[in-house]
PDB file of all heavy atoms in Angstrom:
ATOM      1  N   VAL A   1     -43.022   3.186  73.701  1.00 96.00           N
ATOM      2  CA  VAL A   1     -44.468   3.116  73.795  1.00 96.00           C
ATOM      3  C   VAL A   1     -44.991   4.211  72.879  1.00 96.00           C
ATOM      4  O   VAL A   1     -44.740   5.397  73.130  1.00 96.00           O
ATOM      5  CB  VAL A   1     -44.953   3.333  75.238  1.00 96.00           C
ATOM      6  CG1 VAL A   1     -46.460   3.282  75.320  1.00 96.00           C
ATOM      7  CG2 VAL A   1     -44.319   2.259  76.163  1.00 96.00           C
ATOM      8  N   VAL A   2     -45.727   3.831  71.844  1.00 96.00           N
ATOM      9  CA  VAL A   2     -46.086   4.806  70.783  1.00 96.00           C
ATOM     10  C   VAL A   2     -47.593   4.823  70.571  1.00 96.00           C
ATOM     11  O   VAL A   2     -48.240   3.808  70.297  1.00 96.00           O
ATOM     12  CB  VAL A   2     -45.372   4.457  69.451  1.00 96.00           C
ATOM     13  CG1 VAL A   2     -45.797   5.416  68.343  1.00 96.00           C
ATOM     14  CG2 VAL A   2     -43.878   4.459  69.616  1.00 96.00           C
ATOM     15  N   ASP A   3     -48.171   6.034  70.671  1.00 95.00           N
ATOM     16  CA  ASP A   3     -49.589   6.224  70.376  1.00 95.00           C
ATOM     17  C   ASP A   3     -49.806   6.223  68.858  1.00 95.00           C
ATOM     18  O   ASP A   3     -48.884   6.544  68.107  1.00 95.00           O
ATOM     19  CB  ASP A   3     -50.054   7.577  70.978  1.00 95.00           C
ATOM     20  CG  ASP A   3     -51.528   7.784  70.788  1.00 95.00           C
ATOM     21  OD1 ASP A   3     -52.308   6.798  70.799  1.00 95.00           O
ATOM     22  OD2 ASP A   3     -51.968   8.947  70.651  1.00 95.00           O
ATOM     23  N   VAL A   4     -50.999   5.837  68.429  1.00 93.00           N
ATOM     24  CA  VAL A   4     -51.298   5.830  66.993  1.00 93.00           C
ATOM     25  C   VAL A   4     -51.631   7.226  66.468  1.00 93.00           C
ATOM     26  O   VAL A   4     -51.085   7.703  65.479  1.00 93.00           O
ATOM     27  CB  VAL A   4     -52.454   4.846  66.673  1.00 93.00           C
ATOM     28  CG1 VAL A   4     -52.884   5.033  65.219  1.00 93.00           C
ATOM     29  CG2 VAL A   4     -52.001   3.431  66.901  1.00 93.00           C
ATOM     30  N   MET A   5     -52.535   7.917  67.143  1.00 93.00           N
ATOM     31  CA  MET A   5     -52.989   9.236  66.670  1.00 93.00           C
ATOM     32  C   MET A   5     -52.024  10.317  67.197  1.00 93.00           C
ATOM     33  O   MET A   5     -52.177  10.778  68.324  1.00 93.00           O
ATOM     34  CB  MET A   5     -54.418   9.464  67.143  1.00 93.00           C
ATOM     35  CG  MET A   5     -55.426   8.494  66.608  1.00 93.00           C
ATOM     36  SD  MET A   5     -55.510   8.499  64.820  1.00 93.00           S
ATOM     37  CE  MET A   5     -56.264  10.084  64.545  1.00 93.00           C
ATOM     38  N   LEU A   6     -51.082  10.701  66.376  1.00 95.00           N
ATOM     39  CA  LEU A   6     -50.092  11.690  66.742  1.00 95.00           C
ATOM     40  C   LEU A   6     -50.053  12.826  65.725  1.00 95.00           C
ATOM     41  O   LEU A   6     -50.301  12.586  64.551  1.00 95.00           O
ATOM     42  CB  LEU A   6     -48.676  11.066  66.836  1.00 95.00           C
ATOM     43  CG  LEU A   6     -48.422  10.007  67.879  1.00 95.00           C
ATOM     44  CD1 LEU A   6     -47.091   9.297  67.592  1.00 95.00           C
ATOM     45  CD2 LEU A   6     -48.361  10.663  69.271  1.00 95.00           C
ATOM     46  N   PRO A   7     -49.748  14.054  66.170  1.00 95.00           N
ATOM     47  CA  PRO A   7     -49.559  15.132  65.203  1.00 95.00           C
ATOM     48  C   PRO A   7     -48.276  15.009  64.433  1.00 95.00           C
ATOM     49  O   PRO A   7     -47.347  14.322  64.849  1.00 95.00           O
ATOM     50  CB  PRO A   7     -49.539  16.391  66.107  1.00 95.00           C
ATOM     51  CG  PRO A   7     -49.108  15.883  67.444  1.00 95.00           C
ATOM     52  CD  PRO A   7     -49.642  14.495  67.573  1.00 95.00           C
ATOM     53  N   LYS A   8     -48.215  15.619  63.254  1.00 95.00           N
ATOM     54  CA  LYS A   8     -47.066  15.669  62.364  1.00 95.00           C
ATOM     55  C   LYS A   8     -46.763  14.331  61.686  1.00 95.00           C
ATOM     56  O   LYS A   8     -46.527  14.299  60.461  1.00 95.00           O
ATOM     57  CB  LYS A   8     -45.806  16.177  63.118  1.00 95.00           C
ATOM     58  CG  LYS A   8     -45.983  17.619  63.632  1.00 95.00           C
ATOM     59  CD  LYS A   8     -44.703  18.143  64.260  1.00 95.00           C
ATOM     60  CE  LYS A   8     -44.884  19.540  64.743  1.00 95.00           C
ATOM     61  NZ  LYS A   8     -43.639  20.123  65.352  1.00 95.00           N
ATOM     62  N   LEU A   9     -46.720  13.239  62.460  1.00 94.00           N
ATOM     63  CA  LEU A   9     -46.477  11.939  61.883  1.00 94.00           C
ATOM     64  C   LEU A   9     -47.187  10.932  62.777  1.00 94.00           C
ATOM     65  O   LEU A   9     -46.891  10.861  63.962  1.00 94.00           O
ATOM     66  CB  LEU A   9     -44.986  11.611  61.805  1.00 94.00           C
ATOM     67  CG  LEU A   9     -44.584  10.201  61.336  1.00 94.00           C
ATOM     68  CD1 LEU A   9     -44.955  10.013  59.878  1.00 94.00           C
ATOM     69  CD2 LEU A   9     -43.068  10.015  61.536  1.00 94.00           C
ATOM     70  N   ASP A  10     -48.144  10.154  62.209  1.00 94.00           N
ATOM     71  CA  ASP A  10     -48.863   9.268  63.075  1.00 94.00           C
ATOM     72  C   ASP A  10     -47.997   8.063  63.507  1.00 94.00           C
ATOM     73  O   ASP A  10     -46.933   7.816  62.955  1.00 94.00           O
ATOM     74  CB  ASP A  10     -50.202   8.795  62.451  1.00 94.00           C
ATOM     75  CG  ASP A  10     -49.975   7.915  61.196  1.00 94.00           C
ATOM     76  OD1 ASP A  10     -48.996   7.140  61.165  1.00 94.00           O
ATOM     77  OD2 ASP A  10     -50.836   8.001  60.305  1.00 94.00           O
ATOM     78  N   GLY A  11     -48.524   7.340  64.511  1.00 92.00           N
ATOM     79  CA  GLY A  11     -47.711   6.266  65.075  1.00 92.00           C
ATOM     80  C   GLY A  11     -47.384   5.144  64.097  1.00 92.00           C
ATOM     81  O   GLY A  11     -46.270   4.605  64.118  1.00 92.00           O
ATOM     82  N   LEU A  12     -48.311   4.829  63.221  1.00 94.00           N
ATOM     83  CA  LEU A  12     -48.016   3.756  62.210  1.00 94.00           C
ATOM     84  C   LEU A  12     -46.982   4.228  61.218  1.00 94.00           C
ATOM     85  O   LEU A  12     -46.114   3.423  60.781  1.00 94.00           O
ATOM     86  CB  LEU A  12     -49.321   3.336  61.532  1.00 94.00           C
ATOM     87  CG  LEU A  12     -50.406   2.740  62.418  1.00 94.00           C
ATOM     88  CD1 LEU A  12     -51.509   2.155  61.573  1.00 94.00           C
ATOM     89  CD2 LEU A  12     -49.832   1.636  63.342  1.00 94.00           C
ATOM     90  N   GLY A  13     -47.051   5.500  60.820  1.00 94.00           N
ATOM     91  CA  GLY A  13     -46.027   6.058  59.930  1.00 94.00           C
ATOM     92  C   GLY A  13     -44.658   6.067  60.585  1.00 94.00           C
ATOM     93  O   GLY A  13     -43.662   5.741  59.929  1.00 94.00           O
ATOM     94  N   LEU A  14     -44.645   6.390  61.849  1.00 95.00           N
ATOM     95  CA  LEU A  14     -43.393   6.352  62.626  1.00 95.00           C
ATOM     96  C   LEU A  14     -42.812   4.939  62.593  1.00 95.00           C
ATOM     97  O   LEU A  14     -41.621   4.738  62.346  1.00 95.00           O
ATOM     98  CB  LEU A  14     -43.659   6.829  64.038  1.00 95.00           C
ATOM     99  CG  LEU A  14     -42.473   7.005  65.011  1.00 95.00           C
ATOM    100  CD1 LEU A  14     -42.855   7.936  66.149  1.00 95.00           C
ATOM    101  CD2 LEU A  14     -41.992   5.679  65.589  1.00 95.00           C
ATOM    102  N   LEU A  15     -43.684   3.960  62.866  1.00 94.00           N
ATOM    103  CA  LEU A  15     -43.235   2.583  62.923  1.00 94.00           C
ATOM    104  C   LEU A  15     -42.698   2.126  61.565  1.00 94.00           C
ATOM    105  O   LEU A  15     -41.627   1.475  61.483  1.00 94.00           O
ATOM    106  CB  LEU A  15     -44.387   1.672  63.335  1.00 94.00           C
ATOM    107  CG  LEU A  15     -44.530   1.391  64.806  1.00 94.00           C
ATOM    108  CD1 LEU A  15     -45.860   0.702  65.064  1.00 94.00           C
ATOM    109  CD2 LEU A  15     -43.373   0.521  65.266  1.00 94.00           C
ATOM    110  N   ARG A  16     -43.412   2.447  60.522  1.00 94.00           N
ATOM    111  CA  ARG A  16     -42.993   2.039  59.180  1.00 94.00           C
ATOM    112  C   ARG A  16     -41.623   2.580  58.827  1.00 94.00           C
ATOM    113  O   ARG A  16     -40.750   1.913  58.226  1.00 94.00           O
ATOM    114  CB  ARG A  16     -44.015   2.440  58.128  1.00 94.00           C
ATOM    115  CG  ARG A  16     -45.323   1.675  58.238  1.00 94.00           C
ATOM    116  CD  ARG A  16     -46.258   1.965  57.083  1.00 94.00           C
ATOM    117  NE  ARG A  16     -47.554   1.377  57.234  1.00 94.00           N
ATOM    118  CZ  ARG A  16     -48.642   1.997  57.698  1.00 94.00           C
ATOM    119  NH1 ARG A  16     -48.588   3.298  57.999  1.00 94.00           N
ATOM    120  NH2 ARG A  16     -49.785   1.363  57.822  1.00 94.00           N
ATOM    121  N   GLN A  17     -41.370   3.843  59.196  1.00 94.00           N
ATOM    122  CA  GLN A  17     -40.081   4.469  58.910  1.00 94.00           C
ATOM    123  C   GLN A  17     -38.957   3.811  59.723  1.00 94.00           C
ATOM    124  O   GLN A  17     -37.871   3.597  59.238  1.00 94.00           O
ATOM    125  CB  GLN A  17     -40.140   5.977  59.149  1.00 94.00           C
ATOM    126  CG  GLN A  17     -41.003   6.718  58.161  1.00 94.00           C
ATOM    127  CD  GLN A  17     -40.766   8.207  58.162  1.00 94.00           C
ATOM    128  OE1 GLN A  17     -39.628   8.651  58.225  1.00 94.00           O
ATOM    129  NE2 GLN A  17     -41.807   8.976  58.049  1.00 94.00           N
ATOM    130  N   LEU A  18     -39.263   3.513  60.996  1.00 92.00           N
ATOM    131  CA  LEU A  18     -38.264   2.832  61.848  1.00 92.00           C
ATOM    132  C   LEU A  18     -37.894   1.509  61.228  1.00 92.00           C
ATOM    133  O   LEU A  18     -36.704   1.156  61.114  1.00 92.00           O
ATOM    134  CB  LEU A  18     -38.821   2.611  63.224  1.00 92.00           C
ATOM    135  CG  LEU A  18     -38.827   3.790  64.243  1.00 92.00           C
ATOM    136  CD1 LEU A  18     -39.383   3.323  65.569  1.00 92.00           C
ATOM    137  CD2 LEU A  18     -37.402   4.349  64.405  1.00 92.00           C
ATOM    138  N   ARG A  19     -38.898   0.721  60.825  1.00 92.00           N
ATOM    139  CA  ARG A  19     -38.588  -0.626  60.303  1.00 92.00           C
ATOM    140  C   ARG A  19     -37.897  -0.544  58.937  1.00 92.00           C
ATOM    141  O   ARG A  19     -37.020  -1.356  58.632  1.00 92.00           O
ATOM    142  CB  ARG A  19     -39.855  -1.460  60.227  1.00 92.00           C
ATOM    143  CG  ARG A  19     -40.576  -1.685  61.575  1.00 92.00           C
ATOM    144  CD  ARG A  19     -39.639  -2.005  62.724  1.00 92.00           C
ATOM    145  NE  ARG A  19     -40.331  -2.282  63.948  1.00 92.00           N
ATOM    146  CZ  ARG A  19     -39.849  -2.054  65.159  1.00 92.00           C
ATOM    147  NH1 ARG A  19     -38.623  -1.524  65.282  1.00 92.00           N
ATOM    148  NH2 ARG A  19     -40.521  -2.337  66.249  1.00 92.00           N
ATOM    149  N   ALA A  20     -38.294   0.446  58.138  1.00 91.00           N
ATOM    150  CA  ALA A  20     -37.648   0.633  56.832  1.00 91.00           C
ATOM    151  C   ALA A  20     -36.170   0.957  56.993  1.00 91.00           C
ATOM    152  O   ALA A  20     -35.338   0.629  56.162  1.00 91.00           O
ATOM    153  CB  ALA A  20     -38.342   1.730  56.035  1.00 91.00           C
ATOM    154  N   ARG A  21     -35.863   1.637  58.103  1.00 90.00           N
ATOM    155  CA  ARG A  21     -34.451   2.032  58.401  1.00 90.00           C
ATOM    156  C   ARG A  21     -33.771   0.996  59.215  1.00 90.00           C
ATOM    157  O   ARG A  21     -32.686   1.236  59.787  1.00 90.00           O
ATOM    158  CB  ARG A  21     -34.428   3.407  59.027  1.00 90.00           C
ATOM    159  CG  ARG A  21     -35.031   4.467  58.125  1.00 90.00           C
ATOM    160  CD  ARG A  21     -35.194   5.809  58.835  1.00 90.00           C
ATOM    161  NE  ARG A  21     -35.997   6.735  58.008  1.00 90.00           N
ATOM    162  CZ  ARG A  21     -36.311   7.968  58.392  1.00 90.00           C
ATOM    163  NH1 ARG A  21     -35.910   8.426  59.568  1.00 90.00           N
ATOM    164  NH2 ARG A  21     -37.040   8.717  57.563  1.00 90.00           N
ATOM    165  N   ARG A  22     -34.409  -0.148  59.446  1.00 89.00           N
ATOM    166  CA  ARG A  22     -33.848  -1.279  60.162  1.00 89.00           C
ATOM    167  C   ARG A  22     -33.566  -0.960  61.625  1.00 89.00           C
ATOM    168  O   ARG A  22     -32.556  -1.465  62.180  1.00 89.00           O
ATOM    169  CB  ARG A  22     -32.605  -1.830  59.433  1.00 89.00           C
ATOM    170  CG  ARG A  22     -32.895  -2.291  58.014  1.00 89.00           C
ATOM    171  CD  ARG A  22     -31.687  -3.003  57.429  1.00 89.00           C
ATOM    172  NE  ARG A  22     -31.982  -3.392  56.045  1.00 89.00           N
ATOM    173  CZ  ARG A  22     -32.643  -4.502  55.719  1.00 89.00           C
ATOM    174  NH1 ARG A  22     -33.097  -5.304  56.658  1.00 89.00           N
ATOM    175  NH2 ARG A  22     -32.846  -4.818  54.445  1.00 89.00           N
ATOM    176  N   VAL A  23     -34.403  -0.170  62.228  1.00 89.00           N
ATOM    177  CA  VAL A  23     -34.251   0.099  63.675  1.00 89.00           C
ATOM    178  C   VAL A  23     -35.083  -0.955  64.364  1.00 89.00           C
ATOM    179  O   VAL A  23     -36.285  -1.058  64.171  1.00 89.00           O
ATOM    180  CB  VAL A  23     -34.787   1.498  64.041  1.00 89.00           C
ATOM    181  CG1 VAL A  23     -34.729   1.725  65.537  1.00 89.00           C
ATOM    182  CG2 VAL A  23     -33.966   2.591  63.294  1.00 89.00           C
ATOM    183  N   ALA A  24     -34.414  -1.764  65.177  1.00 86.00           N
ATOM    184  CA  ALA A  24     -35.076  -2.963  65.760  1.00 86.00           C
ATOM    185  C   ALA A  24     -35.642  -2.678  67.151  1.00 86.00           C
ATOM    186  O   ALA A  24     -35.956  -3.616  67.895  1.00 86.00           O
ATOM    187  CB  ALA A  24     -34.100  -4.116  65.849  1.00 86.00           C
ATOM    188  N   LEU A  25     -35.833  -1.432  67.474  1.00 90.00           N
ATOM    189  CA  LEU A  25     -36.379  -1.054  68.825  1.00 90.00           C
ATOM    190  C   LEU A  25     -37.752  -1.701  69.046  1.00 90.00           C
ATOM    191  O   LEU A  25     -38.670  -1.543  68.246  1.00 90.00           O
ATOM    192  CB  LEU A  25     -36.508   0.454  68.853  1.00 90.00           C
ATOM    193  CG  LEU A  25     -37.178   1.045  70.115  1.00 90.00           C
ATOM    194  CD1 LEU A  25     -36.298   0.864  71.342  1.00 90.00           C
ATOM    195  CD2 LEU A  25     -37.430   2.581  69.889  1.00 90.00           C
ATOM    196  N   PRO A  26     -37.927  -2.459  70.161  1.00 92.00           N
ATOM    197  CA  PRO A  26     -39.224  -3.031  70.443  1.00 92.00           C
ATOM    198  C   PRO A  26     -40.264  -1.916  70.727  1.00 92.00           C
ATOM    199  O   PRO A  26     -39.977  -0.968  71.427  1.00 92.00           O
ATOM    200  CB  PRO A  26     -38.979  -3.843  71.711  1.00 92.00           C
ATOM    201  CG  PRO A  26     -37.515  -4.103  71.726  1.00 92.00           C
ATOM    202  CD  PRO A  26     -36.884  -2.884  71.094  1.00 92.00           C
ATOM    203  N   VAL A  27     -41.437  -2.057  70.133  1.00 94.00           N
ATOM    204  CA  VAL A  27     -42.461  -0.989  70.255  1.00 94.00           C
ATOM    205  C   VAL A  27     -43.810  -1.582  70.682  1.00 94.00           C
ATOM    206  O   VAL A  27     -44.296  -2.532  70.133  1.00 94.00           O
ATOM    207  CB  VAL A  27     -42.655  -0.251  68.884  1.00 94.00           C
ATOM    208  CG1 VAL A  27     -43.788   0.761  68.976  1.00 94.00           C
ATOM    209  CG2 VAL A  27     -41.355   0.442  68.493  1.00 94.00           C
ATOM    210  N   ILE A  28     -44.386  -0.910  71.702  1.00 95.00           N
ATOM    211  CA  ILE A  28     -45.797  -1.218  72.097  1.00 95.00           C
ATOM    212  C   ILE A  28     -46.664  -0.084  71.579  1.00 95.00           C
ATOM    213  O   ILE A  28     -46.376   1.097  71.842  1.00 95.00           O
ATOM    214  CB  ILE A  28     -45.902  -1.262  73.631  1.00 95.00           C
ATOM    215  CG1 ILE A  28     -45.096  -2.451  74.178  1.00 95.00           C
ATOM    216  CG2 ILE A  28     -47.385  -1.434  74.036  1.00 95.00           C
ATOM    217  CD1 ILE A  28     -45.125  -2.537  75.712  1.00 95.00           C
ATOM    218  N   ILE A  29     -47.685  -0.431  70.822  1.00 94.00           N
ATOM    219  CA  ILE A  29     -48.585   0.528  70.262  1.00 94.00           C
ATOM    220  C   ILE A  29     -49.719   0.813  71.235  1.00 94.00           C
ATOM    221  O   ILE A  29     -50.310  -0.104  71.766  1.00 94.00           O
ATOM    222  CB  ILE A  29     -49.201   0.047  68.934  1.00 94.00           C
ATOM    223  CG1 ILE A  29     -48.067  -0.221  67.924  1.00 94.00           C
ATOM    224  CG2 ILE A  29     -50.221   1.018  68.404  1.00 94.00           C
ATOM    225  CD1 ILE A  29     -48.560  -0.919  66.679  1.00 94.00           C
ATOM    226  N   LEU A  30     -50.013   2.072  71.460  1.00 92.00           N
ATOM    227  CA  LEU A  30     -51.173   2.460  72.264  1.00 92.00           C
ATOM    228  C   LEU A  30     -52.233   3.037  71.337  1.00 92.00           C
ATOM    229  O   LEU A  30     -51.948   3.838  70.437  1.00 92.00           O
ATOM    230  CB  LEU A  30     -50.823   3.581  73.275  1.00 92.00           C
ATOM    231  CG  LEU A  30     -49.861   3.193  74.426  1.00 92.00           C
ATOM    232  CD1 LEU A  30     -49.713   4.408  75.350  1.00 92.00           C
ATOM    233  CD2 LEU A  30     -50.388   2.021  75.203  1.00 92.00           C
ATOM    234  N   SER A  31     -53.469   2.630  71.489  1.00 90.00           N
ATOM    235  CA  SER A  31     -54.504   3.127  70.603  1.00 90.00           C
ATOM    236  C   SER A  31     -55.907   2.991  71.211  1.00 90.00           C
ATOM    237  O   SER A  31     -56.162   2.038  71.957  1.00 90.00           O
ATOM    238  CB  SER A  31     -54.491   2.374  69.285  1.00 90.00           C
ATOM    239  OG  SER A  31     -55.524   2.801  68.416  1.00 90.00           O
ATOM    240  N   ALA A  32     -56.747   3.934  70.890  1.00 88.00           N
ATOM    241  CA  ALA A  32     -58.139   3.836  71.273  1.00 88.00           C
ATOM    242  C   ALA A  32     -58.931   2.923  70.326  1.00 88.00           C
ATOM    243  O   ALA A  32     -60.058   2.562  70.591  1.00 88.00           O
ATOM    244  CB  ALA A  32     -58.795   5.216  71.289  1.00 88.00           C
ATOM    245  N   ARG A  33     -58.286   2.560  69.224  1.00 84.00           N
ATOM    246  CA  ARG A  33     -58.926   1.691  68.227  1.00 84.00           C
ATOM    247  C   ARG A  33     -58.725   0.249  68.630  1.00 84.00           C
ATOM    248  O   ARG A  33     -57.594  -0.223  68.758  1.00 84.00           O
ATOM    249  CB  ARG A  33     -58.287   1.919  66.856  1.00 84.00           C
ATOM    250  CG  ARG A  33     -58.511   3.374  66.361  1.00 84.00           C
ATOM    251  CD  ARG A  33     -57.749   3.617  65.111  1.00 84.00           C
ATOM    252  NE  ARG A  33     -57.972   4.946  64.528  1.00 84.00           N
ATOM    253  CZ  ARG A  33     -57.347   5.426  63.479  1.00 84.00           C
ATOM    254  NH1 ARG A  33     -56.398   4.721  62.869  1.00 84.00           N
ATOM    255  NH2 ARG A  33     -57.627   6.664  63.038  1.00 84.00           N
ATOM    256  N   ALA A  34     -59.841  -0.463  68.837  1.00 80.00           N
ATOM    257  CA  ALA A  34     -59.716  -1.809  69.421  1.00 80.00           C
ATOM    258  C   ALA A  34     -60.157  -2.946  68.501  1.00 80.00           C
ATOM    259  O   ALA A  34     -60.242  -4.066  68.948  1.00 80.00           O
ATOM    260  CB  ALA A  34     -60.568  -1.837  70.703  1.00 80.00           C
ATOM    261  N   THR A  35     -60.449  -2.645  67.227  1.00 87.00           N
ATOM    262  CA  THR A  35     -60.918  -3.715  66.334  1.00 87.00           C
ATOM    263  C   THR A  35     -59.763  -4.635  65.948  1.00 87.00           C
ATOM    264  O   THR A  35     -58.582  -4.263  66.039  1.00 87.00           O
ATOM    265  CB  THR A  35     -61.549  -3.127  65.073  1.00 87.00           C
ATOM    266  OG1 THR A  35     -60.551  -2.547  64.278  1.00 87.00           O
ATOM    267  CG2 THR A  35     -62.621  -2.117  65.401  1.00 87.00           C
ATOM    268  N   VAL A  36     -60.093  -5.820  65.515  1.00 89.00           N
ATOM    269  CA  VAL A  36     -59.081  -6.771  65.076  1.00 89.00           C
ATOM    270  C   VAL A  36     -58.268  -6.202  63.902  1.00 89.00           C
ATOM    271  O   VAL A  36     -57.048  -6.298  63.852  1.00 89.00           O
ATOM    272  CB  VAL A  36     -59.740  -8.112  64.651  1.00 89.00           C
ATOM    273  CG1 VAL A  36     -58.682  -9.017  64.017  1.00 89.00           C
ATOM    274  CG2 VAL A  36     -60.371  -8.795  65.852  1.00 89.00           C
ATOM    275  N   ASP A  37     -58.976  -5.536  62.963  1.00 90.00           N
ATOM    276  CA  ASP A  37     -58.262  -4.944  61.822  1.00 90.00           C
ATOM    277  C   ASP A  37     -57.258  -3.894  62.245  1.00 90.00           C
ATOM    278  O   ASP A  37     -56.164  -3.798  61.659  1.00 90.00           O
ATOM    279  CB  ASP A  37     -59.295  -4.286  60.851  1.00 90.00           C
ATOM    280  CG  ASP A  37     -60.028  -5.333  60.021  1.00 90.00           C
ATOM    281  OD1 ASP A  37     -59.579  -6.475  59.971  1.00 90.00           O
ATOM    282  OD2 ASP A  37     -61.072  -4.971  59.431  1.00 90.00           O
ATOM    283  N   ASP A  38     -57.619  -3.067  63.248  1.00 87.00           N
ATOM    284  CA  ASP A  38     -56.721  -2.041  63.759  1.00 87.00           C
ATOM    285  C   ASP A  38     -55.469  -2.704  64.396  1.00 87.00           C
ATOM    286  O   ASP A  38     -54.314  -2.249  64.130  1.00 87.00           O
ATOM    287  CB  ASP A  38     -57.401  -1.162  64.788  1.00 87.00           C
ATOM    288  CG  ASP A  38     -58.408  -0.223  64.145  1.00 87.00           C
ATOM    289  OD1 ASP A  38     -58.145   0.264  63.020  1.00 87.00           O
ATOM    290  OD2 ASP A  38     -59.478  -0.025  64.727  1.00 87.00           O
ATOM    291  N   ARG A  39     -55.671  -3.762  65.142  1.00 89.00           N
ATOM    292  CA  ARG A  39     -54.529  -4.460  65.769  1.00 89.00           C
ATOM    293  C   ARG A  39     -53.628  -5.052  64.687  1.00 89.00           C
ATOM    294  O   ARG A  39     -52.405  -5.007  64.791  1.00 89.00           O
ATOM    295  CB  ARG A  39     -55.016  -5.500  66.755  1.00 89.00           C
ATOM    296  CG  ARG A  39     -55.721  -4.897  67.986  1.00 89.00           C
ATOM    297  CD  ARG A  39     -55.816  -5.880  69.113  1.00 89.00           C
ATOM    298  NE  ARG A  39     -56.597  -7.063  68.787  1.00 89.00           N
ATOM    299  CZ  ARG A  39     -57.922  -7.141  68.977  1.00 89.00           C
ATOM    300  NH1 ARG A  39     -58.579  -6.078  69.442  1.00 89.00           N
ATOM    301  NH2 ARG A  39     -58.612  -8.223  68.642  1.00 89.00           N
ATOM    302  N   ILE A  40     -54.244  -5.661  63.696  1.00 91.00           N
ATOM    303  CA  ILE A  40     -53.477  -6.260  62.619  1.00 91.00           C
ATOM    304  C   ILE A  40     -52.629  -5.191  61.895  1.00 91.00           C
ATOM    305  O   ILE A  40     -51.435  -5.395  61.637  1.00 91.00           O
ATOM    306  CB  ILE A  40     -54.412  -6.966  61.627  1.00 91.00           C
ATOM    307  CG1 ILE A  40     -55.000  -8.229  62.262  1.00 91.00           C
ATOM    308  CG2 ILE A  40     -53.655  -7.350  60.339  1.00 91.00           C
ATOM    309  CD1 ILE A  40     -56.034  -8.899  61.421  1.00 91.00           C
ATOM    310  N   LYS A  41     -53.248  -4.061  61.599  1.00 90.00           N
ATOM    311  CA  LYS A  41     -52.507  -2.947  60.929  1.00 90.00           C
ATOM    312  C   LYS A  41     -51.312  -2.525  61.774  1.00 90.00           C
ATOM    313  O   LYS A  41     -50.223  -2.261  61.239  1.00 90.00           O
ATOM    314  CB  LYS A  41     -53.435  -1.781  60.651  1.00 90.00           C
ATOM    315  CG  LYS A  41     -54.451  -2.037  59.556  1.00 90.00           C
ATOM    316  CD  LYS A  41     -55.387  -0.820  59.390  1.00 90.00           C
ATOM    317  CE  LYS A  41     -56.428  -1.088  58.320  1.00 90.00           C
ATOM    318  NZ  LYS A  41     -57.369   0.076  58.212  1.00 90.00           N
TER     319      LYS A  41
END
């Protein structure tokens, strides 16, 4: 369970690095941002 707004490395950056390294861990994103664009990102 990963928040988007994180210090040092944000949640989306964390996710991109995991997927780039082929880590298939299922991830639920937590965020205060509720727009369709935010969910798509």
Side-chain angles (χ1 to χ4, degrees):
V1 179
V2 178
D3 184 32
V4 171
M5 299 299 291
L6 294 168
K8 297 186 179 180
L9 175 66
D10 67 34
L12 298 188
L14 185 159
L15 267 170
R16 292 189 185 98
Q17 291 197 42
L18 281 181
R19 300 318 183 209
R21 299 171 191 180
R22 301 188 181 278
V23 177
L25 174 67
V27 174
I28 296 177
I29 299 170
L30 293 183
S31 177
R33 298 173 176 174
T35 69
V36 172
D37 284 345
D38 288 322
R39 293 198 297 272
I40 290 173
K41 288 177 182 177

